[in-house]
Amino acid sequence: MVLKNVSTGSFWFLYIFPVAIFFILSSLWVYSYVNNTEQLLLKNNLEKSLSTFKFHTQRIESMAQFLQTDSSLKKELINLSAAVDRLDKRLTTQELEVLRESYQQALPALKGHKSTFNDWTKNDDLSRKMQYLYIAQNPYNIGKKDLLQNALDGSPYSQIHETVHASLNEVNNLFEFYDVLFIRKSDMRIIYSAEKEIDFGNVLKSGVYAQSPLGRVAHTVFDSPENGDIMFKPLLEHMPTQNNIHSFVSIPMYYEGELIGMLALQVSVAHYMSAFNEAMPADEENICWVSVDGLESGCKRYEENTNAKTLTQLKAFALATTEGEGTVVGRWTNGVNSMLSFSRFSVGGKDYVAIIQKRTKSMWREFVEFIAMSFIALSVAIITGLCLRSLIRPPEEKFTSI
């Protein structure tokens, strides 16, 4: 019989095999956990964003209802309408040239529009006078025109304008609207605007303004005077605001049962997105929303609001989404694989889909970091254990017969 001395240290690989199996299984569990956790976090963030957004729209609707029932405001608007017709419409040659120069500063920003000064003002002496007083002669720069309360021309219009402006511009600033406007019914003329864009003073019945989003909103209200509902209108490019995307909340104004005009709250896409952004963590990649018919959309990243590829994808996503909510993995417009959590919501009776995007690359990074740390920790533990074992006592010997 031959005895062979065999050290248990030669069977070190028997320790590694179960550890490797444990490592693989734990890795799969960790990936599943990270994936499920990310889905849950995205869903919760989206729910918070939608809750905040709905609160914002409810505030807007409440303010619209208050304005619609404010009898003192209605009387002032009636007086403003009467006073504007008593304005001295005459402009000197020099004043007309000053007004023309103010248009030369504004028109280049209106992308793709080749309309002339006469096209925009329609040779309308009243609109030109109003614009001269509150735009061309306004000492404040573009974007700050609302700081002028009274043109100090001594007219009844400017005196009443100061009173109306004090009320409506306060609403405009409090709710961070882009503009608040009043269009009277008789000739569909914009007789008040807080921000004094170049559509101020003009009529919406015909010409370059008739088919603008505001023009279409006004026609909808005045063509159906029996319908007194407050309406949220689509987000579309609006020419007088440098083709930026805006929505309008239309408020029919009645006095003693008669429709006298329409207040319009002009809301920019940035305003809507700020409601989403308030509740969304800063580390999320992006958040967008799109109407279910694909005609309206907006994104946190403002540059994506005019990106044709983004708009096409959002439209396709909305049309393909039949469920109320869910989470999917797909490729975003920039070619990045992303996890997308979506949910439907309604504004003004119209259905939309909100989408939060997070790159799957960031999820993989979290997963790899966890696995790497786990691998290092296990390796250190194994090496430390083997070293301590060899230092404390010599390897045990076993005798086997061969």
Side-chain angles (χ1 to χ4, degrees), residues 11-29:
F11 292 98
W12 61 269
F13 61 90
L14 293 177
Y15 295 99
I16 300 300
F17 181 73
V19 170
I21 295 297
F22 171 79
F23 183 74
I24 293 172
L25 293 177
S26 62
S27 299
L28 293 174
W29 179 85

Side-chain angles (χ1 to χ4, degrees), residues 25-26 41 99 129 232 300 312 330 339-340 367:
L25 293 177
S26 62
L41 286 174
L99 178 60
K129 182 68 174 186
F232 287 77
K300 175 186 176 184
T312 300
M339 178 179 285
L340 307 173
F367 171 67

Side-chain angles (χ1 to χ4, degrees), residues 105-256:
Q105 296 175 8
L107 289 178
L110 302 178
K111 310 162 192 173
H113 293 282
K114 299 179 180 179
S115 302
T116 64
F117 171 72
N118 289 337
D119 293 330
W120 285 101
T121 61
K122 302 180 185 178
N123 291 314
D124 183 339
D125 291 338
L126 180 55
S127 68
R128 288 181 174 183
K129 182 68 174 186
M130 294 173 70
Q131 292 191 3
Y132 173 75
L133 291 174
Y134 283 91
I135 297 179
Q137 202 180 28
N138 193 320
Y140 299 101
N141 294 328
I142 295 174
K144 299 291 184 180
K145 300 290 186 184
D146 63 308
L147 296 177
L148 179 65
Q149 298 182 2
N150 190 324
L152 300 178
D153 61 322
S155 67
Y157 173 81
S158 289
Q159 295 172 6
I160 301 172
H161 176 278
E162 185 174 5
T163 303
V164 172
H165 189 63
S167 300
L168 294 183
N169 197 43
E170 183 179 2
V171 172
N172 191 44
N173 293 330
L174 179 64
F175 284 80
E176 297 181 340
F177 296 138
Y178 187 89
D179 201 357
V180 176
L181 309 99
F182 179 71
I183 301 96
R184 66 180 181 183
K185 181 187 175 185
S186 59
D187 57 356
M188 293 178 65
R189 186 184 297 275
I190 303 172
I191 65 170
Y192 173 79
S193 164
E195 294 295 328
K196 305 300 186 294
E197 297 282 353
I198 61 172
D199 52 354
F200 170 65
N202 278 289
V203 297
L204 303 175
K205 279 188 175 180
S206 60
V208 292
Y209 297 108
Q211 293 305 312
S212 69
L214 180 58
R216 293 200 291 273
V217 170
H219 278 284
T220 300
V221 172
F222 296 138
D223 290 347
S224 304
E226 70 284 354
N227 183 7
D229 294 340
I230 296 169
M231 293 179 287
F232 287 77
K233 289 301 181 180
L235 278 160
L236 296 169
E237 290 185 354
H238 189 51
M239 291 181 294
T241 58
Q242 301 182 17
N243 280 23
N244 290 328
I245 301 173
H246 292 82
S247 176
F248 291 94
V249 180
S250 61
I251 311 172
M253 302 293 282
Y254 292 85
Y255 185 75
E256 296 182 349

Side-chain angles (χ1 to χ4, degrees), residues 33-47 327 339 341:
Y33 174 79
V34 170
N35 187 63
N36 293 335
T37 301
E38 289 293 341
Q39 289 190 31
L40 183 61
L41 286 174
L42 280 180
K43 182 180 178 182
N44 289 340
N45 291 338
L46 186 56
E47 288 176 353
T327 304
M339 178 179 285
S341 183

Side-chain angles (χ1 to χ4, degrees), residues 243-310:
N243 280 23
N244 290 328
I245 301 173
H246 292 82
S247 176
F248 291 94
V249 180
S250 61
I251 311 172
M253 302 293 282
Y254 292 85
Y255 185 75
E256 296 182 349
E258 181 181 354
L259 181 65
I260 61 171
M262 178 193 82
L263 273 176
L265 309 179
Q266 187 173 347
V267 188
S268 69
V269 67
H271 180 90
Y272 282 114
M273 292 314 302
S274 67
F276 282 118
N277 295 342
E278 279 184 21
M280 192 179 75
D283 62 344
E284 299 297 354
E285 281 297 321
N286 200 8
I287 183 167
C288 295
W289 56 272
V290 58
S291 59
V292 293
D293 58 11
L295 298 179
E296 308 164 40
S297 61
C299 286
K300 175 186 176 184
R301 292 177 183 159
Y302 191 75
E303 65 274 9
E304 293 196 26
N305 293 320
T306 54
N307 184 305
K309 192 174 181 181
T310 299

